[in-house]
Every structure is written in structure tokens, then in C-alpha cells.
Amino acid sequence: MSELGRADPDELLKRVPNEGRKRARFKIFFGMSAGVGKTYAMLREARLLIERGEDVVVGWVEPHGRAETETLADGMERIPPRLVDYRGTVLREFDAEAAIARRPSILIVDELAHSNAPGMTHPKRYQDILDVLESGISVYTTMNIQHLESLADSVELVTLVPVRERVPDEVFDRADEIQMVDIPPEELIKRLSEGKVYSGATSKEAMTHFFTRENLSVLREIALREAAQLASHQTLDIMRGDSPPRNSGAQRILVAVSRSPNSEHLIRWTRKLAYALKEEWDCITVDSGDPLTEEEKTRLANNLGFAKSLGAKVSNIPADDVARAVLDHARRSGASIIVVGKSGSPSPRHPFARRSITDRIMAESGNIAVLAVQEKPLHDPRKRRTVAGLLSSPPRQYATAVAVVALTTVLNSLITPFVGYWGAAVPYLATISIIALFIGRGPLFVSALLSALLWDYLFIPPYHTFYISKLEDALMLVLYILLAVTSGWMTGKLKANERLLSVRERRLELLNTLATELAGTPGLGETARKSVAFLEDAFDARVFLLMRDKAGDLEPVPPGPLPAELGERELTAARHCLQTGRRSGRGTDAMGSSTCYFAPLGNPPETVGVVGLSLAPGKAWTGDTERFLSIVLHTVSLAMERELLTASARESELVEESERLGKLLLDSVSHELKTPLTIIQGSASALSDEDIAKHPLARRELVGEMMAGAERLTGIVDNLLSMNRLESGKINLRLSETDPADLVSVALKTLEKGRGSREVELAAEGLEATLYCDQGLITQVLTNLVQNAYRYSGEASRICIRVSQTADRTGFEVSDDGPGVPSEDLAHLFEKFYRGRGAKPGGTGLGLSICRGIVEAHGGEIRAWNGAPPVRGGGGQEPQTKAGDGRRGFTIAFSLPNDPRPKEGAR
């Protein structure tokens, strides 16, 4: 800092480039109007950057036939234009997607405020430029002062020329650098007269209407003031550096808007005030419960969207007292300035008229400043709104009002002789208060006036005339009219408040119902189905739920073909919503030509999908409906993300379990393979010795060892192949007629060498039925079970193999009198890679799992229990001793259907 307390200029200059490197730079060449040389200045700077070695590409340049501009652009690399077919005409537009794919360091894009052709991703070019900036590419562009949103009405007032292409102020404020391109109005008029801006009749027309000396002078002043103000704000930001911003709550601004067309002017005025004060601002609208037409809903939604686009925080508050709601919100939000509209109607206000909302806000604001902005005259808007309110009710309500008053008149004609003509006013008042609950204000006013006239004409003397002879009768009639209108009006207000409360209550109930249902809904598909059903019921729209697939595209949930309503235009809008995490489609700034409205589920980069709503033609949403939709979608998004996380957790568990089992398999197989390989290698090495090879006995023993090792390797490989076939579901049973006893004999013969001194007992009972099975696979099961008994029962054990048959099943049991299996291991014996705590070294833990798979593939069952081998002739039933009774021995039994082949005629 300098001695005078000012920031050192050198320090400021050092900060500027550092801040510029944080993100893509955005530079606007800014001028008071067309023809001042913005495009020329932009291309000239681009030329200088190219000479310095920068990667500069022209995305779009509009030379307007100016030779010097076209010469400057010649030779520069250009992005090919995107061709759009619109009503038989091919239009050329800036291709933002191609520019992002090219990824230059600097992109030149002319005419920031340009409106794109229908069918483009965005309706405005500035939105394409924002996408380019977000991708990390710096952009140079051009813009005229009249296209700035907050100044458009001021320019229209000066030039009397409507401005249709506008750029939000927040886009303009985002610029890192504004370069003012300025020439005196006289020189611009000279360029126009020479045909350097426009040619022929267009130039003369422009000089007559827009490009007058007075207009250009005012536009130049506005442009210079705006550029100076922006420069002042940027300098202040640089001087603040990394220090926290000052507390701006003392100057927070609140603007109150409605469905009035004047609200747009009010919003724009407030935006300029907030920008000048460098303060935040809010926009509020109060829903008093009055029914709105579709046109009014659309206008209100546009007003709130316009305020949001200019950087306001938008709120919609339900309340019957508008002035009180605005003041309460201002105090809660800490606003120090309230901006309201003042009627532009030239007619004076009636001295007995009720105070306007603006007058009440000004009178009750306390220490909050209130700025009343003059609104544009709308041909006596109060009268138009009053008439519109009276005529908004359907004809049947007017008919109902007249019919009820007529019936009450008949009733009064019957009771008047008993209660007098003053008593006839009571039924009229009661009737009006009651029907006010069911009809609008127009029919209510008609019924009150009609009942007063009928009371005077039929019941107040002199009869059948509107003349009133007594002063008290006249006063009574006036009092009746006031009471009728007031009571009916208050009843109508109560009905409006009830409607507000019912809407809020219904929405809370719907949200509670949705959250409760989704909380107890398992599975992504069922969650999606319930969410779609809820959205369709709550918003009366056709709803589509699309989720991000593994390739990053969209797929419907539940899976199936895309709905016919989702054409290419709608899918493009849905993909844009998924990629950007911003709403797109109908009623938004992105792909507004789409017939559907799309909202993201989740937040980028975690956007998991999009929800599309197809509204009925002509239907509009108010701001509170859109906020309710946001809450609903947030609830749906949480539920969908929960299901996705649950599925992801399951996949992670499966992956972890697969890795664990794979490691177990590798450890087991490597250890199991090592033993026979060592035997084979040792035997082969011994046979290579000529002395040993000459002895027939030694050679025979070594060859036998090698054969045994090879058989063991073959068994391991067979187990692995069998498990693979079982898990893949590709096991094909080759059923053939078989003798069960022969299967056991083959298995025992295969394991003859491993029998040792064990006693093996074979028992066969009642083998009269024919067994159809895959002989090879069942033999493998028996081999595994007998080998398992050999391995764990001991050398002196007794092995019992029993085969029994019934009319439809064949049973096999392999029992031993070994130590048995711990009871806690019994439930896991048939799991892959499971090895009990008492298991001997070696083995892969696959044998019993393969046995179960083969038996179940035949339609059979397999089980195991602790207990001694059954005595001879036991009938093949499970012994009476149960697991855990302390007795020695272990049994594995399985049974197969005698004929698993499909019966003839069965499906």
C-alpha cells in the first residue's frame, strides 16, 4: 500500500494475470451500435495473437460485406458452420460442439446476442459461448449496448426501436475484459452514408430511424457509462484481493413483482440499482390464492425466470395479505431497500378508494427504504384487471347465482307475511354467504346486486317499484348491499386462503407419501416405477425416467424401448440435461423447442439420470409448482442414488468375494499341484539315471509313482473343469440306463490304490428299478465321496457304502467311523473352497461343492451328518443318532430320481 492508503498499481497489475490464469478468459469488444468497428478490432487482435504463437481459431465471423473485415479474416483457421434446415431454408450457425472438439486456446465468435435457428442446442449464441468457456477455451466476442438486458428498455425509450436480441447482465458481468470500441457519432454517420456499414436502401433507412445524431450520442453516453462502471467494479475486486467481501446485508434489495407485464420493467430497474450499488438482490411474488388464467401463469413464470436470469434470488410466498408478506420477507432477509411498482394510470385515485399495496408498503415499512418505480401505462390496468376478474368465472356460476337468488325470492314471498319485509333481507344475506363458497367474485357481485333489486322491487313498499318512500328503508337497503358484498367478499377470501392451505397440505401429504413409499421400496426398477406414477399423478403430465448407462448415454427405466414421444429433438435435450446438470427442453433456455421438460437427477458430475415431463399444450407452470417439482425430484434422486449405491455395494462385495475366492483357489490349486508335480519330477529325474533305469523293479515303482501323480493332476483338472461347467450352466447330462451297484464298483476300482488297510463294505438293497443318470458324473461324485472318507477316517477305519432304491428314487450313502466333522462346519461343507478347521493339508475345497452341483443337476439332493456307519440292513435311512451327540463317524448321502427325463406330454 502507498502512503496515502491506496493500492500500489504494480501490485494490482501483478494480480490481474494471476487471476486470469484460473479459468478460460472471456473478452467482449463493446460498442454503442453496429458499424463502430468491433469485429475489425477483434480480428486485428486475433492476428497479433497468432503472430505470437497462440492457437487462435475463428468460430464465427459476420463481416456484413465489409471488405476490410473480410480481408482481415482471410487465411485464419475456421470452424465449419453448422447447417440447420428451417422451413425449407438451410441456415448457417456457429457449431459450438465442433469448436469444443477442436479445443483451441482462443476462439473468435462474433455477435454475442445472436439468436440461433430453431433446432440448435441453445436458442441464444451467448449460451453456446458459455458452454465453450466452461470447457476451458477462451472466447473473444462482440456486443452492442442495446443488447444488454438491463439497458434494453432505456435504449427503446431513446431510439423508439424495439430490441429483441438481449444478453443477460450476468453474462456481460462475467467478462474478464471489456474493450470499448468507440468512434464519434459524426464519423459513424459518415461511414453509413459511404455504405461501409449497410448498403443501398438499408443504409438510408438506418440513418433515418436508428442512426440519428441524437440517438447515437445518447447510446454512446450509455455505453461509456456502462463500461466505466464495469471497470470500476473490476478494479474494486482486484483491490480487495483475497480478503473476504464486505458485509452487504445492510444494502440488500428486494423487489416485489406479480403477473403484471410491468414487472419486467421493475426487475430490470432493480437489477441496474443492485449493479450500481454492488449488492445482492431478491425477487418476491406473493400468491394470494386468486385463480390465475394460463396466460397469467405463463407471464408470472416468465417474470420470475427473467429475474433469476439477471441474478436474483427468487421466492414465491403464499399469503392473503400481499403487503404484509412483502414486509415480513424483507425483514427476515435483512433487506434495506424495497422496490415496488407505482401505477402508471393517468386517472386520479378516488378519495374513498382502498389504499393500494404500494401505499401500504410505504406506510408500514418502518426503517426500510421503499422505492416506488413509475410503471408504464397499460390503458387503465386496474379497470382491466377488475373486468377480467369479473369475467373469469364460467357462465354456469352466473346461472347458479341467478337460480339461487330466484329460489330465495320464492322463500321470502312465503315468510314475509310473518316476519315483515325487513326480515326478507336475512335469507338473502345467508344465501349470498353460502354460495360465495362455490362461485367466483363476478357471480357473487351479480347475486348481491340482483337480491338487493328484488328485495326493493318486491318487498319494500311501495311494491313493484324501485321507489323508496321511507328514509330508514333506503338506509336499510344501502346497509344490505354493503353487508351482502362485504360478507360475500370475505367468504371468497376465506375460500382463497383455504385453497392455498389445501394446496400446501396436499403437497406436504404427497411428499410424505412419496418419501415413505420410496424408503420401503427395494430395487431400482420398482423405485423408478413408483416415482413415475407419483409424478404423473401430481403434475398431470406424461413422465419419462431415463438413467445413465455404462456407456454414458441414456436408457429408460424399467429397461425397454424408448417411448414414441421421445424423438431426436427430445433425446438431444435429455442428453444436454444429463451432461450439464441443468434443466433443458420446453420452457428453458436450452433446447426450448423440445416438447418435453427435462430435469436432472442428482448434481453434476454425479448426475445419474433425467426426468422428462410432457405437459399438455397451452399448460403453464407457476414458480411454486416448479419449486415443488424440484423438491419431488430431489426426493426421487436420493432414492435412485440409494438404490444405485446399494447395487454398487453389492457389486463391490461380489468383487471382493471373487478376489478372495480366486486367491483361495490359487493358493489351494498351486499347493495341490505342487505335490504330484514334485513326485513326477522326482520320478522322471530318477529314471534319467541309467543305473536305476536298468533295474526293472525300480523302474516299475517310479513309473507307478509318475502315473499316480498324473492321475492326481487329472483329478484336480477334472474338478476345476466340472466347477466351471456347473457355474456357467453349460453342463449337459448324458442320461443312460445304469446299474447303481456298477457305479460304486467303478468308483472303488478307481481308488483301489488309496484304500490301504481300510475295511470297505458294500451293501445293496432292493435294486429292482432302472436308474437313468450320467454315469461319468455320478461316478465322479462317488469317487469324491469315497476319497474324502479315505482321507479323513484313518487307515484302520471301516467304510460303508450303501445303495438302496424305492419306486422312484435311488439313494447312495458313504459312511465312515472316523472322528466326524465339527457341528459348526456341517452347514458349510458344500460351499466352494470351504475347508474345515480340522482339514488335512492339500485339497482345493471344491470336491463336495462339485458333488452337490452334479447331484442337483440330476434333480437330486445331498446331505451330511455326524454318526457311525449304519448296521447292515438298515434300509438306507438316516441313523437315529444326530449331529453333536458325541458319537464318532460321518455320513454323506445323496439320492437321485430314477428317471429324470421329462414325461411325455409334460411342458
Side-chain angles (χ1 to χ4, degrees):
M1 300 290 290
S2 65
E3 296 179 358
L4 297 179
R6 299 175 179 173
D8 187 350
D10 292 334
E11 293 182 4
L12 295 180
L13 292 175
K14 290 178 182 177
R15 293 177 188 174
V16 173
N18 289 335
E19 293 181 357
R21 295 193 193 102
K22 293 180 181 178
R23 60 183 176 90
R25 290 187 61 79
F26 185 30
K27 182 172 182 177
I28 299 177
F29 291 81
F30 186 60
M32 63 179 175
S33 68
V36 298
K38 303 181 298 299
T39 304
Y40 185 85
M42 179 176 63
L43 290 174
R44 186 173 56 187
E45 183 163 337
R47 283 287 185 186
L48 293 175
L49 292 171
I50 292 174
E51 292 176 1
R52 295 174 188 171
E54 294 283 352
D55 182 18
V56 181
V57 174
V58 175
W60 182 269
V61 165
E62 188 59 65
H64 293 289
R66 298 161 194 164
E68 62 273 16
T69 303
E70 292 178 348
T71 301
L72 201 58
D74 286 343
M76 299 178 67
E77 181 183 350
R78 298 196 182 197
I79 300 295
R82 181 175 175 179
L83 303 181
V84 181
D85 186 5
Y86 179 64
R87 295 182 179 178
T89 303
V90 178
L91 304 177
R92 297 157 60 88
E93 295 289 353
F94 164 57
D95 194 340
E97 289 82 0
I100 294 174
R102 169 60 177 79
R103 297 199 64 80
S105 59
I106 299 175
L107 186 69
I108 305 298
V109 184
D110 207 3
E111 297 185 347
L112 178 66
H114 173 76
S115 295
N116 291 330
M120 295 285 288
T121 303
H122 297 295
K124 297 292 185 180
R125 180 169 293 169
Y126 71 79
Q127 296 170 317
D128 293 330
I129 290 178
L130 291 178
D131 288 346
V132 173
L133 289 169
E134 289 182 5
S135 69
I137 302 173
S138 297
V139 176
Y140 286 9
T141 188
T142 61
M143 178 180 166
N144 295 329
I145 182 64
Q146 70 263 27
H147 297 303
L148 189 59
E149 182 66 71
S150 61
L151 299 175
D153 57 343
S154 300
V155 173
E156 287 185 6
L157 185 64
V158 171
T159 63
L160 301 179
V161 176
V163 180
R164 305 193 183 280
E165 294 181 332
R166 301 179 179 183
V167 175
D169 290 58
E170 61 180 353
V171 177
F172 187 78
D173 297 343
R174 180 174 176 175
D176 299 281
E177 183 180 353
I178 302 292
Q179 181 171 324
M180 184 72 184
V181 182
D182 181 48
I183 62 174
E186 295 81 6
E187 184 175 343
L188 179 55
I189 293 174
K190 181 181 178 182
R191 286 172 55 83
L192 277 166
S193 62
E194 294 174 351
K196 294 183 178 180
V197 180
Y198 301 113
S199 59
T202 304
S203 180
K204 294 181 180 179
E205 184 180 356
M207 292 175 62
T208 305
H209 294 86
F210 187 87
F211 290 88
T212 64
R213 179 182 176 84
E214 294 77 10
N215 286 353
L216 293 178
S217 297
V218 174
L219 289 175
R220 187 187 188 199
E221 181 183 353
I222 295 174
L224 290 172
R225 185 172 63 245
E226 187 69 21
Q229 195 173 38
L230 179 63
S232 175
H233 290 164
Q234 290 179 340
T235 302
L236 182 60
D237 291 338
I238 295 173
M239 292 177 66
R240 289 175 181 172
D242 298 328
S243 61
R246 62 187 176 89
N247 182 15
S248 58
Q251 293 294 324
R252 193 175 188 90
I253 304 170
L254 174 67
V255 58
V257 302
S258 66
R259 57 186 180 271
S260 169
N262 274 319
S263 292
E264 184 176 332
H265 167 72
L266 202 61
I267 292 169
R268 190 178 289 110
W269 195 94
T270 307
R271 167 62 178 75
K272 288 190 288 187
L273 175 64
Y275 182 72
L277 296 177
K278 195 70 174 175
E279 301 297 344
E280 296 181 353
W281 62 294
D282 301 334
C283 177
I284 180 178
T285 184
V286 180
D287 185 357
S288 60
D290 294 335
L292 302 179
T293 64
E294 292 299 323
E295 180 184 358
E296 290 173 332
K297 289 181 182 179
T298 301
R299 192 184 304 124
L300 178 60
N302 291 340
N303 289 338
L304 297 179
F306 178 57
K308 189 181 298 184
S309 70
L310 292 183
K313 180 182 178 182
V314 176
S315 300
N316 188 321
I317 298 177
D320 58 340
D321 190 335
V322 177
R324 177 56 52 191
V326 171
L327 291 170
D328 290 345
H329 183 81
R331 294 187 177 100
R332 284 196 305 268
S333 62
S336 61
I337 299 175
I338 299 176
V339 180
V340 294
K342 185 175 67 172
S343 173
S345 175
S347 59
R349 189 179 297 273
H350 193 276
F352 297 103
R354 187 180 59 175
R355 287 193 304 173
S356 67
I357 294 175
T358 298
D359 293 337
R360 285 192 57 201
I361 291 176
M362 296 182 69
E364 302 173 16
S365 60
N367 60 351
I368 302 177
V370 179
L371 301 179
V373 179
Q374 183 70 28
E375 298 178 341
K376 298 179 181 179
L378 295 175
H379 307 291
D380 199 359
R382 287 182 290 108
K383 293 181 180 179
R384 291 181 59 188
R385 285 197 295 270
T386 302
V387 173
L390 293 177
L391 298 179
S392 61
S393 300
R396 59 182 178 82
Q397 291 192 4
Y398 288 93
T400 301
V402 172
V404 171
V405 171
L407 290 175
T408 307
T409 302
V410 174
L411 174 64
N412 281 337
S413 65
L414 299 175
I415 67 173
T416 299
F418 305 99
V419 299
Y421 64 88
W422 279 19
V426 177
Y428 279 131
L429 284 175
T431 300
I432 292 172
S433 298
I434 294 173
I435 64 174
L437 297 172
F438 307 101
I439 62 176
R441 292 178 179 177
L444 179 65
F445 178 79
V446 170
S447 63
L449 182 60
L450 180 61
S451 63
L453 293 175
L454 289 173
W455 184 40
D456 181 16
Y457 186 79
L458 297 176
F459 302 105
I460 298 178
Y463 303 116
H464 307 298
T465 178
F466 292 108
Y467 175 75
I468 301 178
S469 59
K470 297 180 181 180
L471 177 61
E472 58 267 28
D473 289 343
L475 293 176
M476 187 63 181
L477 179 62
V478 172
L479 180 61
Y480 168 79
I481 294 174
L482 291 175
L483 287 174
V485 173
T486 303
S487 62
W489 193 272
M490 293 304 297
T491 305
K493 293 294 290 184
L494 290 175
K495 184 178 67 172
N497 291 339
E498 182 184 0
R499 184 166 54 248
L500 281 176
L501 292 175
S502 65
V503 169
R504 296 178 67 183
E505 182 180 1
R506 181 174 182 272
R507 289 180 176 176
L508 288 174
E509 183 180 353
L510 287 173
L511 285 174
N512 181 63
T513 301
L514 176 65
T516 303
E517 287 188 358
L518 294 184
T521 302
L524 185 63
E526 187 64 17
T527 300
R529 187 189 65 79
K530 288 188 176 181
S531 300
V532 168
F534 176 87
L535 288 167
E536 289 183 340
D537 178 62
F539 296 97
D540 190 22
R542 178 85 163 87
V543 178
F544 315 100
L545 183 56
L546 306 173
M547 300 296 292
R548 184 195 296 270
D549 59 16
K550 294 181 179 180
D553 202 359
L554 291 169
E555 62 179 0
V557 179
L562 288 171
E565 294 89 343
L566 296 182
E568 187 60 33
R569 183 170 50 185
E570 283 70 33
L571 286 177
T572 302
R575 293 187 181 104
H576 182 270
C577 177
L578 179 71
Q579 294 167 2
T580 62
R582 296 194 294 265
R583 303 187 176 193
S584 63
R586 177 181 172 182
T588 67
D589 292 335
M591 301 298 295
S593 60
S594 171
T595 58
C596 297
Y597 171 91
F598 293 97
L601 288 175
N603 298 312
E606 302 299 329
T607 305
V608 298
V610 299
V611 171
L613 291 91
S614 178
L615 303 177
K619 185 177 180 180
W621 281 359
T622 55
D624 62 323
T625 304
E626 187 170 357
R627 276 186 294 278
F628 177 58
L629 174 63
S630 299
I631 297 173
V632 171
L633 291 183
H634 180 68
T635 304
V636 173
S637 176
L638 290 177
M640 301 296 286
E641 289 178 342
R642 180 198 67 209
E643 293 301 324
L644 290 174
L645 288 175
T646 302
S648 178
R650 292 196 196 100
E651 291 181 0
S652 298
E653 292 177 359
L654 290 175
V655 170
E656 292 178 1
E657 182 66 12
S658 177
E659 291 178 351
R660 185 185 71 83
L661 295 178
K663 186 176 182 301
L664 284 175
L665 176 62
L666 182 61
D667 293 342
S668 300
V669 171
S670 60
H671 183 274
E672 192 72 4
L673 291 176
K674 187 175 181 180
T675 300
L677 285 174
T678 301
I679 294 174
I680 294 173
Q681 185 179 12
S683 300
S685 176
L687 283 176
S688 64
D689 188 338
E690 294 182 358
D691 294 335
I692 296 177
K694 292 178 179 179
H695 292 80
L697 182 59
R699 185 170 62 250
R700 188 182 305 110
E701 290 292 333
L702 290 174
V703 171
E705 291 289 337
M706 293 175 65
M707 292 295 294
E711 289 177 0
R712 188 171 179 180
L713 285 177
T714 301
I716 295 172
V717 173
D718 286 343
N719 279 343
L720 293 175
L721 292 177
S722 297
M723 179 55 65
N724 181 63
R725 290 167 60 195
L726 288 170
E727 289 189 339
S728 63
K730 295 181 179 179
I731 186 170
N732 295 317
L733 300 180
R734 298 179 179 178
L735 302 179
S736 60
E737 186 176 350
T738 308
D739 184 352
D742 290 344
L743 296 176
V744 176
S745 300
V746 172
L748 291 176
K749 185 175 181 180
T750 303
L751 298 173
E752 183 64 29
K753 294 183 178 180
R755 174 177 176 177
S757 59
R758 299 175 183 84
E759 178 185 352
V760 177
E761 178 183 337
L762 175 60
E765 300 177 355
L767 302 184
E768 297 178 356
T770 301
L771 173 65
Y772 286 89
C773 66
D774 189 314
Q775 299 182 30
L777 292 178
I778 299 302
T779 301
Q780 184 179 355
V781 172
L782 291 169
T783 301
N784 282 343
L785 297 184
V786 173
Q787 188 177 39
N788 191 69
Y790 286 175
R791 186 180 184 90
Y792 292 99
S793 61
E795 286 291 334
S797 63
R798 181 172 67 92
I799 310 296
C800 181
I801 304 174
R802 301 183 65 253
V803 184
S804 60
Q805 274 190 337
T806 61
D808 57 351
R809 300 188 73 83
T810 300
F812 298 86
E813 287 184 9
V814 178
S815 305
D816 63 69
D817 57 359
V821 175
S823 57
E824 57 269 23
D825 290 341
L826 279 173
H828 306 285
L829 282 180
F830 298 102
E831 295 178 4
K832 288 186 300 183
F833 307 116
Y834 183 81
R835 292 172 56 77
R837 284 166 292 179
K840 294 184 178 181
T844 60
L846 292 175
L848 293 182
S849 178
I850 292 172
C851 292
R852 182 181 65 176
I854 293 174
V855 170
E856 291 178 351
H858 281 77
E861 299 175 351
I862 187 169
R863 53 203 172 101
W865 63 87
N866 283 319
V871 296
R872 188 185 302 272
Q877 300 297 319
E878 182 179 339
Q880 296 300 315
T881 54
K882 302 294 182 181
D885 61 356
R887 295 189 59 181
R888 290 172 55 84
F890 179 67
T891 301
I892 297 181
F894 67 93
S895 64
L896 306 173
N898 290 336
D899 191 354
R901 296 176 300 177
K903 299 296 185 291
E904 185 177 354
R907 293 184 179 180

